[in-house]
Every structure is written in C-alpha cells, then in structure tokens.
Amino acid sequence: MKYNKGFAPLILLAIIVGALVVGGGAVYFATKTPTSPKNIEENNYQPQENQNSLETTNNNQEVKKAETNPSIEIFSPKEGEELVIGSKYTINYKTNSIPKDAIVFLFVGSGEKNKWMKIVPSDKLDSFSATSSSYTWIVPKEICGVEICTSLISGQKYKFEAILTGTINNQFQDIVTDVSDNFFTVVSNPKESVITKNDVINQPAYLKSVYIKNGKNYIDVDYIQMFATIEEQKKAATEDGFCDNIATCDVYNNGYKRNTNPLIRTFEVSSSVIINVYGEYNQYLNNGDLNSANSLINFSQLKEYKQKSGNYEQYIVLDVKDNKVIKIIEPYQE
C-alpha cells in the first residue's frame, strides 16, 4: 500500500511537468515576432523567384540593346595594297542593325584629322547604300572633298573612312564611324583601258559658260592646275614668282591654282550628269547656309546660277568620258 501511494504522486507530478513543458513551448512559438511586410520593404528583400526574373529581364534587355546597336566596318584596303590611278578598285564594308533610312559616306585621306576627302559615286547621289557591302571606285588623280580638292600623290599612303548615317531617336545624324586598319599606296601610270587620252577624272577647271544648243546641253571650261598640299602650293607659287623661296612662301586656304593654257574647251554634258555643289552655288540655294545635304542639282539649275553670277569664273572639277561631261563638282572655297 505504501508503494501504491508513493507511485500515484509521481504520476501526477509527471503530468504537471509535461503540461508546463508543452505549454511553455506553445507560448514560445506563439510569441515569436514574424517578419512583417514593412520589414521586407525596409530590408529590400525580394523572393528568390522575383530576383531571378529581374536578372533575366535585365539580361534580355542587354542582349536586345547589343543586337540593335548600329555598326559599320570597313575592310579595305588589305595590307600593302597599291592602287593604280585610273584603275578600278572595290572598297568593301559591312553594316549591322541599321535604321531603315541609313546611308554610308566614304572618304579617303591620310588619316589625319580634317584631312578626309569625300568619295562621290558615279551614279545618283553623294552617298552609298547601307545595305550594300562594296563600291567599285575608279582611283582618280585628284579628289575633291566638301572643303577642298587635293591630288592623290604617287607613293603617298592613304586610308579609307566610312560613316554610317541615319535616324536615331527621331534625328537624322552620323551614327558611327570606322577607319580602315591598313594604308594603301597610290601608284601612277593610268591604265589605257580605263582612261583614254580624251577622258579625264577630277579635272580642275574654271566654268566659263553653261548653255543649250540644238537641244543639247553644253559647258565651256578652262582647264587649270590645282595644287592642294602645302608642299605643292609653296613649290608652284615659288616657280610662278609669287614667292621668293619655298621656306618663306605662304600657303593658301583654298589651294593654289595655275592657269598657263588659255585654251577654252567645249563639252557636251551627258543627260545623266551628276552635279554636286558645295560652295557658292550651294550657299545660294540655301540662303547663305552651307548645307551639303542639298548639294545635288540638275543642269538647268547650274545654267540658272551661271547666268546670275555673270563673269565670275566658278571653280569646278569635272569628269569627261567619251567626250561628254558625266560629273561636275563645285568644291567649297574659303
């Protein structure tokens, strides 16, 4: 009996202790403060699933941006190439992710700043197709940019430059530029198969008159020599007696012109002639605002301006093929 009485209190004590343990646990779990939405916001916490989604979105945006970034790359010339004056040469370039209205401008120069001369195509405009990948260029003895004409000197090294232009953010502008990695060297001795004795490429001249005769278009011109580089100018001006010596001779901003032959040449103008004006006539068209975007004109416009300018000898550069003028450029003159 003593044993039974002692056992009952032990059982009762165990039940009470168990209840307290369980109850204490319940109190602990019930009173643990949960993380509130405010705590989440303050700690910048995001569920793992949302973080992954955000990273994926950012990555997609970066890929899309890279895919839509316009670019241009020019591959010509190859290292060590020699270009013969008068020969045909293919300039290769490549564009990517271009705007719908994109065009390409090509230049040639020594690679120095502001020394680039524009290459004008022999067909319609002064720009090239951005969707094409090449242009066949007839290497001239002299090339004219917007600002000045200059001779391509035999033995001199040159590079090509390509500019991709188009509408970005609702504005038509130059987008990206690339300069060839390699130089090419100009070599003289034009090929007779390309240039005959009556043909000329980029021939400097003074425009004497513009007129129509028997239903055909004509111009009268006076061929001149144009010296564009500093060395050429000083040497020619000294030879002509305008300078005492080369060392003290001043250079000309718009080049030095020599006219030793008074012969006036008459040429029929091709019905498909290209006429680009960057100087006096261009400013006349744009009310004094030099704007090369409006540089392409037709024969009637050239005739009209020549009549207005009177005896002024307009400096031009022309191409003649089969005794017909196929291109006229009026360079900008300071």
Side-chain angles (χ1 to χ4, degrees):
M1 294 296 295
K2 289 182 182 180
Y3 179 81
N4 291 339
K5 285 183 180 180
F7 184 73
L10 289 175
I11 295 175
L12 179 60
L13 179 60
I15 292 173
I16 293 171
V17 172
L20 289 175
V21 172
V22 173
V27 171
Y28 170 78
F29 287 114
T31 57
K32 183 179 180 182
T33 305
T35 305
S36 65
K38 183 178 179 181
N39 295 123
I40 295 175
E41 183 177 345
E42 290 175 351
N43 294 327
N44 294 321
Y45 172 83
Q46 290 181 336
Q48 186 66 35
E49 181 180 353
N50 291 342
Q51 288 180 337
N52 292 339
S53 177
L54 182 61
E55 291 174 359
T56 301
T57 300
N58 290 338
N59 289 338
N60 289 340
Q61 289 176 348
E62 290 298 325
V63 171
K64 183 177 181 181
K65 181 179 179 181
E67 290 177 348
T68 58
N69 189 29
S71 66
I72 187 167
E73 185 175 4
I74 188 162
F75 300 103
S76 299
K78 297 179 182 178
E79 186 174 359
E81 280 195 288
E82 293 184 344
L83 275 59
V84 180
I85 293 176
S87 66
K88 293 182 179 180
Y89 179 78
T90 301
I91 304 172
N92 296 298
Y93 58 91
K94 181 181 179 181
T95 59
N96 284 307
S97 303
I98 59 175
K100 292 182 179 179
D101 61 349
I103 54 177
V104 171
F105 292 99
L106 294 177
F107 297 82
V108 61
S110 61
E112 300 177 40
K113 187 177 181 180
N114 300 324
K115 295 290 185 179
W116 296 101
M117 300 296 152
K118 181 184 288 187
I119 297 175
V120 180
S122 57
D123 44 16
K124 296 180 180 179
L125 301 173
D126 61 353
S127 62
F128 300 85
S129 171
T131 57
S132 179
S133 60
S134 65
Y135 172 69
T136 301
W137 183 46
I138 298 179
V139 184
K141 63 181 179 181
E142 184 179 61
I143 189 166
C144 294
V146 172
E147 295 184 355
I148 199 171
C149 291
T150 187
S151 300
L152 290 180
I153 303 172
S154 180
Q156 181 70 43
K157 294 182 180 296
Y158 298 92
K159 282 190 173 186
F160 292 117
E161 179 185 44
I163 299 179
L164 178 66
T165 302
T167 300
I168 296 291
N169 297 325
N170 298 320
Q171 183 177 356
F172 192 77
Q173 58 187 298
D174 291 344
I175 301 172
V176 65
T177 302
D178 188 43
V179 176
S180 61
D181 294 331
N182 301 311
F183 286 93
F184 67 86
T185 303
V186 170
V187 181
S188 58
N189 302 322
K191 294 182 179 179
E192 291 298 325
S193 60
V194 178
I195 299 179
T196 69
K197 64 180 181 179
N198 295 322
D199 293 343
V200 295
I201 294 177
N202 284 357
Q203 171 63 51
Y206 287 130
L207 182 63
K208 306 294 288 187
S209 58
V210 182
Y211 55 97
I212 300 175
K213 183 178 179 181
N214 297 326
K216 295 181 179 180
N217 300 331
Y218 290 92
I219 61 172
D220 293 339
V221 297
D222 184 4
Y223 279 3
I224 62 174
Q225 289 178 280
M226 174 68 175
F227 304 90
T229 67
I230 294 176
E231 293 77 10
E232 288 178 330
Q233 290 180 45
K234 289 184 175 183
K235 181 179 178 181
T238 302
E239 291 173 349
D240 293 345
F242 289 100
C243 295
D244 293 332
N245 56 69
I246 294 177
T248 60
C249 191
D250 293 328
V251 297
Y252 298 80
N253 290 332
N254 57 358
Y256 178 76
K257 304 178 183 70
R258 175 189 286 167
N259 187 14
T260 57
N261 188 345
L263 176 65
I264 304 300
R265 293 173 169 85
T266 298
F267 291 107
E268 181 183 348
V269 178
S270 171
S271 58
S272 58
V273 65
I274 297 169
I275 307 175
N276 272 294
V277 291
Y278 300 106
E280 298 289 340
Y281 193 98
N282 187 282
Q283 295 184 59
Y284 166 74
L285 288 176
N286 296 283
N287 297 319
D289 180 20
L290 188 64
N291 181 2
S292 61
N294 297 327
S295 64
L296 196 68
I297 65 172
N298 57 39
F299 181 84
S300 296
Q301 291 173 305
L302 181 67
K303 178 173 174 291
E304 174 189 349
Y305 179 69
K306 183 58 183 173
Q307 291 174 343
K308 289 181 179 294
S309 62
N311 294 327
Y312 171 72
E313 291 186 321
Q314 190 175 3
Y315 171 52
I316 63 170
V317 178
L318 68 155
D319 288 1
V320 177
K321 180 69 174 177
D322 297 330
N323 215 36
K324 286 187 179 181
V325 176
I326 60 174
K327 183 166 68 176
I328 299 172
I329 295 177
E330 179 213 23
Y332 173 68
Q333 295 287 285
E334 295 180 340

